[in-house]
Amino acid sequence: MRIVEAGVARHTLTYNAPIATAHGRITERQVLLLTLRDEDGHTGVGEAAPLDGFTHEGIDEAEAALLAWVGEDGDGSLAGFPTACAAVDAALHDLAATSAGVPLHHYLNPESPTSLPVASLVVGDTPEQLVAAAVGAITDGYRVLKVKVGALPINEDMERLAAVRQAIGPEPAIRLDANGAWSPEAAPANLNSLAGSGIEFIEEPVSGIPALADIMHVSPIPVAADESVRTPFDLDRLIATGGADLLVLKPSAIGGISVAARWATRARSGGMGVVVTSLLESSVGIRAAAHLASAIGALDPVPGLATADLLVTDLGPPLLAEAGLLNLT
């Protein structure tokens, strides 16, 4: 496989409604699309999706790294720029799978499933809006919902979660993501307050591995590490301290699907579960993450990859769930 053409293009993603996180509200963002073509006319695509609060590099830095790589500076230009590295990794894998004439997940693991259940991220500024989104997701076939917390006072989060649980009943799972919003002092009481809504797990209730390790041992809700783990050294520290029950893997944030696969193996050997989620990127990045989740069997807890429906604008064919399932081709 010889690459004869490579291009980098900047695009703007716009969301149907603002997504409130502890790092701020997301209404739109810029991403980069890397397109590779080989001498036989096959193409492969990958996405670099830097996001303030979630990744170390910004869009300009990622673009410069990709342009240097395209300019044949080699992989050295990607060092320190994981979102750019993720784009290259995904594009090369996509190109290889396309050249082989098989879906990417089968290229990575011939025994992997083509259909996988996913969790739906539901958003809303008011309890009524959040409940409407949650009921709509359950009606559409989702059995797992994800709700952002931490951007509002804890009493408002409690009200929102209680309303959602009452509306959807006891069976569907609800997972939370605080994006490290709470202080170590406030987190124990907050977690106890929210546990009554029957929570599957919570991502990043506090920020930093030492704080996660402290809170994990007193939390009534299973704890997942996300933004606090951005390097292999971080992952080793997390395992050594027993700092989480689960590791959230965002391939777009940590260097791509190859890196995420290695981290999944390491986390599992350290006694943690893994859950693959999106970085609220376009369907290009979501698709790569979904094929990875299938290939490595990261299906329980179900992946958090039903986020393409949050987008007004997308890159390529939207990867939308049907009856709570993503179907991969």
Side-chain angles (χ1 to χ4, degrees):
M1 181 180 67
R2 187 170 70 88
I3 297 171
V4 297
E5 185 178 334
V8 178
R10 189 182 291 210
H11 298 269
T12 299
L13 303 182
T14 305
Y15 297 88
N16 288 306
I19 301 171
T21 78
H23 301 300
R25 290 166 69 85
I26 305 170
T27 57
E28 67 176 25
R29 64 193 286 204
Q30 292 187 314
V31 298
L32 302 163
L33 183 68
L34 172 67
T35 303
L36 306 178
R37 185 172 64 86
D38 69 12
E39 57 190 341
D40 296 318
H42 301 116
T43 61
V45 294
E47 180 179 4
L51 184 59
D52 289 345
F54 294 86
T55 61
H56 294 308
E57 79 263 41
I59 190 73
D60 292 336
E61 296 166 304
E63 185 176 47
L66 283 177
L67 289 173
W69 184 85
V70 166
E72 299 183 356
D73 284 0
D75 290 344
S77 65
L78 303 176
F81 304 105
T83 67
C85 187
V88 172
D89 186 50
L92 290 172
H93 275 94
D94 187 36
L95 182 59
T98 301
S99 299
V102 297
L104 177 55
H105 67 97
H106 281 166
Y107 179 81
L108 297 171
N109 175 6
E111 304 302 318
S112 58
T114 297
S115 180
L116 60 154
V118 286
S120 175
L121 173 62
V122 293
V123 299
D125 286 337
T126 67
E128 293 77 15
Q129 291 173 342
L130 188 65
V131 165
V135 171
I138 297 301
T139 301
D140 287 342
Y142 292 99
R143 304 309 299 164
V144 181
L145 306 181
K146 177 176 174 177
V147 179
K148 294 280 189 179
V149 295
L152 299 171
I154 186 61
N155 62 311
E156 295 186 38
D157 279 335
M158 289 173 60
E159 179 186 359
R160 294 163 73 240
L161 264 295
V164 168
R165 177 54 77 194
Q166 182 177 15
I168 67 173
E171 292 303 321
I174 300 175
R175 62 182 63 163
L176 306 179
D177 187 0
N179 296 124
W182 298 328
S183 70
E185 294 75 23
N190 291 350
L191 290 165
N192 281 317
S193 296
L194 296 173
S197 292
I199 305 303
E200 180 188 29
F201 64 82
I202 182 167
E203 301 176 28
E204 290 277 313
V206 293
S207 182
I209 292 170
L212 282 171
D214 288 341
I215 203 66
M216 199 273 263
H217 297 296
V218 299
S219 175
I221 301 171
V223 171
D226 186 356
E227 295 102 309
S228 293
V229 183
R230 282 292 170 261
T231 68
F233 177 72
D234 293 336
L235 179 55
D236 287 342
R237 286 181 64 211
L238 184 73
I239 293 170
T241 59
D245 300 288
L246 298 154
L247 176 67
V248 174
L249 291 172
K250 288 183 169 69
S252 291
I254 62 174
I257 59 175
S258 296
V259 172
R262 293 194 296 269
W263 285 24
T265 298
R266 180 76 182 93
R268 286 164 166 168
S269 69
M272 287 189 294
V274 296
V275 55
V276 177
T277 74
S278 82
L279 190 58
L280 301 176
E281 67 270 73
S282 83
S283 288
V284 172
I286 297 169
R287 187 170 279 105
H291 281 275
L292 169 75
S294 172
I296 65 173
L299 306 179
D300 184 16
V302 303
L305 295 172
T307 54
D309 61 352
L310 301 174
L311 292 166
V312 176
T313 56
D314 205 340
L315 303 183
L319 184 60
L320 301 174
E322 299 178 8
L325 300 174
L326 286 185
N327 296 303
L328 306 178
T329 56

